[in-house]
Amino acid sequence: ALLVLPPEPTPVATRELVYTALTRARAHLTVWATEGALGAALQNRSQRDSGLAVALWGEQALSLRA
């Protein structure tokens, strides 16, 4: 498998993207990225807003995310 990250940090390149590439690679993974781009991707965590927390615990769940 091959993971190619853009040379500049981007919101699309996230820790979860790298994790998915690592876990779905069958035999090996080759990563083409600058050290800065890979580091930025590993520090960039995606935030999912499914609404489940609010549905379960109400508006107070929004204050728990900080």
Side-chain angles (χ1 to χ4, degrees):
L2 175 64
L3 173 63
V4 180
L5 296 176
E8 297 297 322
T10 175
V12 176
T14 62
R15 177 183 209 138
E16 290 78 12
L17 177 80
V18 175
Y19 175 82
T20 300
L22 283 170
T23 57
R24 292 198 181 171
R26 299 216 191 277
H28 69 277
L29 176 67
T30 301
V31 179
W32 286 358
T34 63
E35 185 176 333
L38 182 58
L42 293 176
Q43 291 178 357
N44 185 18
R45 300 198 66 171
S46 64
Q47 182 175 343
R48 298 178 62 192
D49 292 318
S50 68
L52 180 60
V54 173
L56 292 174
W57 299 295
E59 294 296 322
Q60 69 187 17
L62 296 176
S63 64
L64 299 175
R65 289 194 311 194

